[in-house]
Amino acid sequence: MEWKLAEEQEAYRDTLREWLTDVAPLDRVREWSDGGDRRAFADRMAADGWLGVGVAEELGGQGGGVVELALTAEALGRAVAPNSSWLATMLAVPALGAMPDRTAAWLCPAEAPPAPVELDVSPDGALTGTVPRVLAGSEVSAFVVAVSTQAGLELRRVEVDDSVSRSDRQLLDRTRTVADLTLDATSSIKLDADAERAIASSVDLCAVLLAADALGAMERMLELAVGYSLQRRQFGVPIGSFQAMKHAAATIEVDVEASRSAVYYAAASLEAGLGEASLHAAAVKSQVTAAAARAADSALTMHGAIGYTWEHDLHLFYKRAQLDAHLAGTAAEWNERIARGLALVG
């Protein structure tokens, strides 16, 4: 099946790609990744009006839906642009019930999808405890956290103040960030959203957006590998003329096109509220991120020794794809979700 975007969606995708080419060229991405302030990109994204695209106007966004969010994630992955705070904020919207006036994130470990965490909750709602490896933990200004109280599972909003300490952890993929957070009697506000429903919505959205990001990175790695294979010569001919190189490129191309249709369908399924939308989301998180990780290995092999160097751009996309395969859970973990959803296991 080939997915067809609406004309306005294609226009949005093309305009965003042009903006990213201007604002986030690879040399600037390298500067941000090598110690620069990644928040400069997030600030520019918000100032230029991209942050709220995909969030309904009645929720304070720019309009659009999950398909537009997937298009944004794909473009960010294709540009390897810093996107931790954008992704984290979009995932927090179902719990907040509106587009926040500042960046926000779920207070939970990045290696798992949004879920409740263990924190001490005082009678007045103050939170105490440590949560490791929070996505965009050092970048955002507020957090949504699911905690167990005597009244049951609750969602609470936490504003960053002097009672919150944050310690960065460095990832191999330096376009994304995680940090350990420690709360010391930090005040929180109870949110009205249904906790279980908000968590489920954020989990599904997380799966689709990470798959879309991986799709963008995979597409760009294919372009880099094919371009290099047409330039590099061996035995007097371009290495792209060798059958092994053609087969490797064709395999990645098949994965790219299959992944594109799957990601857009899963996004549309979530937007429409289809009964099996969660299964569609889990499928693309599992299959597309795994395909992108395989494509990264193939692209590296096609580049030969130069692909291993820091100076070549391939490593930026390689690390991006590999992290997408592990953020919010591995393919095996998401396959387990699918199996439980289809009642294939107990």
Side-chain angles (χ1 to χ4, degrees), residues 30 60 67 92 113 162 182 242 254 266 275:
R30 284 177 174 273
V67 174
D162 292 339
T182 298
F242 300 153
V254 169

Side-chain angles (χ1 to χ4, degrees), residues 5 7-21 50 71 75:
L5 295 171
E7 185 176 343
E8 60 270 19
Q9 291 171 332
E10 291 182 347
Y12 169 70
R13 177 198 60 195
D14 296 343
T15 303
L16 178 56
R17 285 187 180 184
E18 292 174 3
W19 181 83
L20 286 167
T21 299
W50 299 104
L71 289 170

Side-chain angles (χ1 to χ4, degrees), residues 3-5 13 17 66-67 70-71 74 208 212 215 259-270 284:
W3 181 270
K4 292 292 187 180
L5 295 171
R13 177 198 60 195
R17 285 187 180 184
V66 184
V67 174
L71 289 170
E74 180 186 355
V208 170
L215 168 62
S259 296
R260 192 189 317 281
S261 294
V263 166
Y264 294 165
Y265 180 80
S269 178
L270 281 185
V284 294

Side-chain angles (χ1 to χ4, degrees), residues 92-331:
V93 168
L96 295 171
M99 187 70 195
D101 54 357
R102 295 182 292 172
T103 52
W106 278 92
L107 190 62
C108 63
E111 65 267 23
V117 295
E118 293 185 6
L119 292 173
D120 293 331
V121 187
S122 70
D124 63 353
L127 305 177
T128 300
T130 297
V131 182
R133 300 175 300 278
V134 177
L135 181 68
S138 61
E139 297 183 48
V140 300
S141 303
F143 294 93
V144 172
V145 59
V147 291
S148 296
T149 68
Q150 291 182 346
L153 188 63
E154 292 182 358
L155 289 179
R156 291 187 165 271
R157 176 172 177 146
V158 176
E159 301 290 338
V160 175
D161 58 22
D162 292 339
S163 68
V164 179
S165 61
R166 305 190 272 192
S167 178
D168 286 330
R169 293 200 186 198
Q170 185 166 291
L171 299 170
L172 286 178
D173 173 19
R174 297 185 183 177
T175 65
R176 267 83 71 90
T177 64
V178 297
D180 299 338
L181 271 77
T182 298
L183 283 61
D184 184 10
T186 303
S187 61
S188 66
I189 300 173
K190 183 180 177 181
L191 298 172
D192 293 332
D194 180 279
E196 292 186 357
R197 181 176 297 179
I199 291 172
S201 297
S202 294
V203 168
D204 292 342
L205 185 59
C206 179
V208 170
L209 296 188
L210 286 174
D213 188 278
L215 168 62
M218 178 165 48
E219 182 180 40
R220 191 71 184 97
M221 286 187 291
L222 174 61
E223 294 174 1
L224 288 172
V226 170
Y228 179 75
S229 72
L230 296 177
Q231 295 175 0
R232 178 76 167 88
R233 300 179 69 85
Q234 195 172 31
F235 306 114
V237 296
I239 61 173
S241 64
F242 300 153
Q243 191 173 48
M245 298 292 284
K246 292 178 180 179
H247 286 175
T251 298
I252 300 175
E253 174 69 14
V254 169
D255 281 340
V256 166
E257 294 307 320
S259 296
R260 192 189 317 281
S261 294
V263 166
Y264 294 165
Y265 180 80
S269 178
L270 281 185
E271 192 169 327
L274 300 185
E276 296 184 337
S278 293
L279 293 176
H280 300 154
V284 294
K285 173 59 173 80
S286 171
Q287 299 302 313
V288 175
T289 59
R294 292 194 304 270
D297 289 333
S298 294
L300 188 62
T301 301
M302 292 174 71
H303 276 82
I306 195 173
Y308 289 85
T309 64
W310 187 263
E311 290 75 14
H312 199 280
D313 292 331
L314 180 65
H315 78 90
L316 298 170
F317 300 92
Y318 181 95
K319 295 170 183 175
R320 182 84 165 217
Q322 296 293 351
L323 185 59
D324 280 333
H326 288 84
L327 279 176
T330 64

